[in-house]
Amino acid sequence: MNKIFLIGSVIFLFMACTPYSYIIENGTVYDGSGSPGVQTDIGIKRDKVAKIGNLDSKKAKQRIDATGMAVSPGFVNNLSWAAYPFQLDGRSLSDLKQGVTLEVFGEGSSLGPYNAKDAKNGPLSFYDNMKALEEKGVSCNFASYVGATTIRINQLGYEDRAPNAEELQKMQELVKESMEGGALGVGSSLIYPPAFFASTEELIALSKEAGKYGGRYISHMRSEGNKIEEAVNELIKISKEGNLPAEIFHLKAAGENNWKKLDGILAKIDSANAVGLDIKANMYNYTGASTGLDACLPPWAQDGGKEKFLERLANPETRKKIISEMESDETDWENFLSLSGKPENILLLEFNQDSLNYLIGKNVGDVARIYGMSPAETIVELILGNHGDIGCAYFLMTEENVKKQIKLPYITFCSDARSIAAEGKNLESMTHPRTYGNFARLLGKYVREEKVIPLEEAIYKLSWLSAQRIGVKQRGKLEKGFFADVVIFNPNTIIDKATFEKPHQYAEGVIHVLVNGVPVIENGAHTGKTPGKFVKGPGFKQ
């Protein structure tokens, strides 16, 4: 016992006498709690915050001068599609240059669990795929929900049918395994086949397993437009019967006829919380959405997967039926052609076939006139010609509602986009500007310029509130013992530069970013370091 005490004392004294790895000095520190900024210093040892206070007399391997800068916890991107590009390029440039240090995956799809048939995508289990990403090397931290769609495909493929009892039990076991492997909860994306084919009862069954581990149910709901009230009701039911918190991913009232519904939706959320449920939401800061062009087609057309989908589009009789449904304003599915109001509100961003790249930046109305077809016929023709889905932007929301949502006390923020570099093949297509600008846009346009919320509140929502929401520990705050995920930015200049016309433009104003105590952005430039970690959810078991 005396030996153990002596060794412990020596280690303590060694750590106490060791110089700080970094001291960040002279900045205005916003600790993430929502309190106003205070001019003070931050001492970092290894991967943790060691002290906050006056460190003028202390030694450090390197001092970082933050005069005139805001110093805050790193930001959390609550809905990221960076998992797949990270497998090729882990630098996370478009988000790091906005101060994002934690990417959250899992809206419907996740990196596993795969079945043996899909093993080409990587290891079978959720945990093994996430760990492999960390081992490959990523500059920022990352976490993930397990995708309800991924689990459904694991057992049912792309078929439009309910699981039998044995299959449902296996799906629940996969959720259990993934929660113990570090998943944050279960994520769904219910407008997209095959997720669309899942019943409420199936989602409740999966959510119950996540709830046992302190997980959360998150959802791109079955509707954000004409049937948004019914979709929120379903999410609330899943939360109640699954006995777990729920979060609406990228909250919006989509389509001009639905803008007025937002107040009613917010009242539903307030009512659910008032009776003891935990219903929250996140958002991105634009009036334009982005998804595939196939969101304009009925989900049944995609039953069975891509090849069967293309066969139906090529069949004259089936094609006629699909176009007829697309041109109807009354459907039991989320019809993005109808929600857009006019085809000019659908912007074409990305194709698989280089022969169609001349259409990038045009809208569906433009192409319909070129083709001499109706908008619905044009969309079908484009998907067939591209041999698959096409990336698009849809202009569906109103600025008034965006600002109303930003003010909500429970709202957090997401890009709903990849994190990529403005170089190479990425420049051959367009993307939604939220890929490069969502977080800087909040701090520049909505905080500094339009004063929708104060800076300290924005930082709180981007950091500590987000970290609490996903159930991870020792992140999201500048506090002794917390991981040193730190962003140093100029509050007077931070701004998004990306536009729909010229999206591949990095945000400006972020000067330094540290992830787990390692500088990944220095003076605005990437250092090449990859200290990012797989951040596990509350149910993780060693």
Side-chain angles (χ1 to χ4, degrees):
M1 178 66 73
N2 289 337
K3 279 187 176 181
I4 294 172
F5 177 78
L6 181 61
I7 291 168
S9 299
V10 170
I11 292 171
F12 175 79
L13 287 170
F14 174 77
M15 290 299 292
C17 297
T18 302
Y20 291 98
S21 308
Y22 298 94
I23 289 177
I24 302 169
E25 56 190 1
N26 304 322
T28 301
V29 174
Y30 295 83
D31 64 6
S33 68
S35 300
V38 176
Q39 188 164 339
T40 188
D41 304 330
I42 298 175
I44 295 168
K45 288 187 178 181
R46 298 185 180 178
D47 60 351
K48 301 282 180 64
V49 173
K51 185 173 181 180
I52 299 177
N54 188 316
L55 298 172
D56 287 349
S57 63
K58 301 299 181 181
K59 293 182 178 180
K61 294 179 181 177
Q62 183 177 334
R63 304 183 84 90
I64 300 173
D65 185 8
T67 300
M69 302 294 162
V71 182
S72 81
F75 304 147
V76 180
N77 182 350
N78 275 298
L79 194 187
S80 166
W81 290 102
Y84 307 100
F86 278 0
Q87 293 173 331
L88 300 174
D89 177 5
R91 290 176 295 165
S92 194
L93 272 164
S94 57
D95 269 1
L96 275 182
K97 282 179 170 286
Q98 300 179 74
V100 173
T101 60
L102 175 57
E103 305 277 350
V104 180
F105 315 143
E107 186 210 294
S109 66
S110 55
L111 295 179
Y114 302 125
N115 58 33
K117 181 181 176 182
D118 292 324
K120 62 181 181 296
N121 295 321
L124 296 183
S125 79
F126 171 89
Y127 172 81
D128 287 341
N129 279 283
M130 294 291 282
K131 193 65 180 174
L133 197 59
E134 178 182 282
E135 290 169 354
K136 179 191 175 298
V138 176
S139 293
C140 63
N141 301 307
F142 55 94
S144 182
Y145 296 86
V146 62
T149 311
T150 301
I151 285 177
R152 185 169 229 276
I153 292 170
N154 184 295
Q155 290 297 297
L156 306 180
Y158 294 85
E159 295 181 39
D160 180 4
R161 67 175 180 87
N164 60 38
E166 182 180 346
E167 289 165 335
L168 184 58
Q169 182 180 355
K170 179 60 178 174
M171 291 164 73
Q172 290 175 301
E173 289 171 0
L174 290 171
V175 173
K176 177 178 183 290
E177 175 190 298
S178 299
M179 291 301 297
E180 292 181 358
L184 303 172
V186 171
S188 69
S189 52
L190 300 177
I191 72 164
Y192 306 108
F196 177 86
F197 306 140
S199 67
T200 306
E201 290 68 31
E202 177 184 320
L203 296 166
I204 290 170
L206 301 185
S207 296
K208 282 181 178 178
E209 293 302 313
K212 293 174 185 177
Y213 291 89
R216 174 177 295 268
Y217 171 72
I218 59 94
S219 185
H220 179 155
M221 299 185 299
R222 227 174 272 275
S223 174
E224 298 173 326
N226 296 346
K227 297 193 175 184
I228 189 171
E229 294 100 338
E230 294 93 327
V232 173
N233 289 341
E234 180 185 41
L235 179 128
I236 291 171
K237 180 179 181 180
I238 292 168
S239 174
K240 182 177 180 180
E241 297 189 18
N243 193 31
L244 79 175
E247 180 159 351
I248 298 169
F249 263 27
H250 48 62
L251 175 67
K252 65 177 74 71
E256 187 171 356
N257 292 337
N258 300 309
W259 293 347
K260 62 183 179 295
K261 294 179 180 178
L262 182 63
D263 287 344
I265 296 307
L266 302 184
K268 278 182 183 289
I269 294 171
D270 289 342
S271 296
N273 289 324
V275 297
L277 296 179
D278 185 353
I279 310 296
K280 302 296 189 289
N282 61 46
M283 66 178 290
Y284 47 81
N285 305 302
Y286 296 85
T287 58
S290 185
T291 190
L293 193 58
D294 63 359
C296 297
L297 282 73
W300 63 260
Q302 298 183 58
D303 180 11
K306 178 181 174 180
E307 293 308 318
K308 289 186 177 180
F309 175 43
L310 294 175
E311 286 174 12
R312 292 187 183 102
L313 296 186
N315 180 289
E317 287 302 313
T318 315
R319 176 178 176 139
K320 184 177 179 181
K321 182 182 178 185
I322 289 169
I323 289 170
S324 176
E325 288 195 28
M326 291 171 66
E327 291 174 340
S328 172
D329 291 332
E330 297 295 327
T331 62
D332 62 356
W333 49 278
E334 191 88 314
N335 185 342
F336 272 61
L337 177 59
S338 175
L339 284 180
S340 298
K342 57 183 180 179
E344 286 75 16
N345 282 339
I346 307 174
L347 183 67
L348 301 171
L349 300 177
E350 188 172 9
F351 293 92
N352 297 329
Q353 303 297 318
D354 291 345
S355 60
L356 293 174
N357 282 350
Y358 75 99
L359 296 176
I360 288 174
K362 296 187 182 298
N363 62 62
V364 168
D366 292 335
V367 182
R369 286 184 283 274
I370 293 170
Y371 282 10
M373 296 179 175
S374 72
E377 291 171 324
T378 299
I379 289 167
V380 171
E381 190 69 22
L382 284 169
I383 294 173
L384 268 174
N386 193 55
H387 197 68
D389 198 17
I390 295 162
C392 295
Y394 295 87
F395 297 96
L396 303 170
M397 289 84 79
T398 170
E399 186 71 13
E400 179 185 355
N401 281 352
V402 168
K403 292 178 182 178
K404 185 179 293 185
Q405 290 180 192
I406 288 172
K407 293 178 182 178
L408 294 171
Y410 53 77
I411 205 76
T412 57
F413 298 93
C414 68
S415 71
D416 192 14
R418 301 169 294 166
S419 185
I420 58 176
E423 58 189 50
K425 194 165 180 61
N426 292 328
L427 301 179
E428 294 177 11
S429 60
M430 293 174 69
T431 187
H432 192 298
R434 65 192 184 188
T435 304
Y436 291 90
N438 187 69
F439 307 95
R441 185 176 179 83
L442 173 69
L443 297 172
K445 174 179 170 64
Y446 292 111
V447 170
R448 183 182 65 249
E449 295 177 358
E450 301 191 15
K451 297 178 172 51
V452 177
I453 57 174
L455 180 58
E456 58 266 29
E457 182 181 343
I459 290 172
Y460 163 66
K461 290 178 174 183
L462 288 167
S463 56
W464 181 229
L465 180 61
S466 294
Q468 292 178 91
R469 184 73 50 79
I470 60 177
V472 300
K473 297 178 180 179
Q474 293 181 289
R475 299 204 185 262
K477 228 177 181 185
L478 295 179
E479 184 174 303
K480 184 178 179 179
F482 275 51
F483 287 97
D485 300 328
V486 187
V487 55
I488 302 170
F489 66 94
N490 188 331
N492 299 315
T493 64
I494 191 166
I495 196 68
D496 59 309
K497 303 297 289 184
T499 65
F500 283 99
E501 295 75 24
K502 294 183 178 180
H504 293 291
Q505 300 185 78
Y506 295 120
E508 295 180 353
V510 169
I511 313 303
H512 304 286
V513 179
L514 289 82
V515 173
N516 299 316
V518 176
V520 289
I521 298 289
E522 283 186 332
N523 296 311
H526 200 285
T527 65
K529 302 291 179 61
T530 56
K533 298 295 183 184
F534 166 25
V535 178
K536 287 89 170 177
F540 178 68
K541 293 187 177 181
Q542 291 288 90

